[in-house]
Amino acid sequence: MCSHSPCVRHQRTKMLLVTSLVLALSTLVDLTKASTPHVLDIAGRPVQAGKGYYMLPVNDTQFGGLTGISEYGSCPFNVMLSASRFSNGSLLSIHPVTGKGTVRLGIDLNMQFFLVTLCVDLSVWKLAKFDKETNHRFVTLGGLVGHPGADTVDNWFKIEKEGDHYKLVFCPTVCDSCSVVCGNLGTYTMDGRRLLALGDPALAVKFVRDSRSLSIRRPINSRR
């Protein structure tokens, strides 16, 4: 038991140092978040986590927004550009690893379609394994929202700025021990369809907020 004055002063000094360190780290985290730019929709508003948006190509005048369609008539579905240039694609929501709030550049994200399919609970984007026939890795549906780590490393994407536009990137940082091949997400044309896949050139995209400002309901298997 420490009761004499020098010992008490020493304990108080240690407590003050610990408190100061905690406050400094908290401030650093807040400053880091504040210095990371927001992702903006076409109206110039910050993209909100969990709200409904359409993701459309900037330069492609032949195809519409991103959607999920079964390429071979079976699960899982591929993420691709809509066949009609007049279509906004499928409504989606973005879930940052940091939780609720606004979506920022360079942060690990889950992408989730509000899409009713024949495949049970398939709405969250996932980078599929290497396809030997095409030499590509395609973005499919079948991931989970949350649970950052080795088991979900293929479910995390990022939004980066390239010039005046945004692009999608696969380079997850949710697993320190995982070895991943980073790269831009572009499109691969197959049978007249443009599938989202890992590779250049990057697909330039823009975000259009749904007029109803829907919050996307997570599927049962996507709990954090």
Side-chain angles (χ1 to χ4, degrees), residues 83-157:
S84 171
R85 63 188 179 92
F86 300 106
S87 172
N88 284 337
S90 298
L91 194 65
L92 62 80
S93 64
I94 303 173
H95 304 281
V97 69
T98 51
K100 298 179 180 179
T102 56
V103 177
R104 296 180 181 271
L105 294 176
I107 300 297
D108 289 293
L109 310 162
N110 294 132
M111 307 286 190
Q112 180 186 3
F113 280 134
F114 184 70
L115 186 66
V116 178
T117 74
L118 297 177
C119 309
V120 178
D121 289 336
L122 292 188
S123 61
V124 180
W125 293 18
K126 177 180 182 179
L127 190 65
K129 302 299 182 183
F130 185 77
D131 182 77
K132 293 182 179 179
E133 292 186 9
T134 61
N135 293 324
H136 277 77
R137 293 187 69 185
F138 295 102
V139 181
T140 62
L141 301 182
L144 296 174
V145 170
H147 308 284
D151 292 337
T152 64
V153 69
D154 291 334
N155 303 343
W156 298 93
F157 301 88

Side-chain angles (χ1 to χ4, degrees), residues 23 32 40 45-46 51 67 76 83 87 92 95 102-103 107 113 115 119 122 142 146 160 182 187 204 209 215 222:
L23 290 174
T32 301
L40 305 178
R45 300 168 299 194
K51 298 296 183 180
T67 186
S87 172
L92 62 80
H95 304 281
T102 56
V103 177
I107 300 297
F113 280 134
L115 186 66
C119 309
L122 292 188
E160 301 280 4
C182 298
T187 58
R209 185 167 179 173
S215 291
S222 66

Side-chain angles (χ1 to χ4, degrees), residues 54-57 60-69 78-91 113 115 187 192-196 203:
Y54 296 101
M55 192 184 303
L56 289 90
D60 198 318
T61 58
Q62 296 181 338
F63 291 80
L66 288 167
T67 186
I69 299 177
N78 287 90
V79 177
M80 64 183 68
L81 296 178
S82 298
S84 171
R85 63 188 179 92
F86 300 106
S87 172
N88 284 337
S90 298
L91 194 65
F113 280 134
L115 186 66
T187 58
R193 293 179 173 178
R194 291 194 179 170
L195 283 66
L196 196 62
L203 176 68

Side-chain angles (χ1 to χ4, degrees), residues 159-178:
I159 300 171
E160 301 280 4
K161 197 77 180 287
E162 187 167 78
D164 296 329
H165 306 302
Y166 295 110
K167 66 177 181 178
L168 301 174
V169 174
F170 177 78
C171 195
T173 54
V174 296
C175 175
D176 294 334
S177 62
C178 298

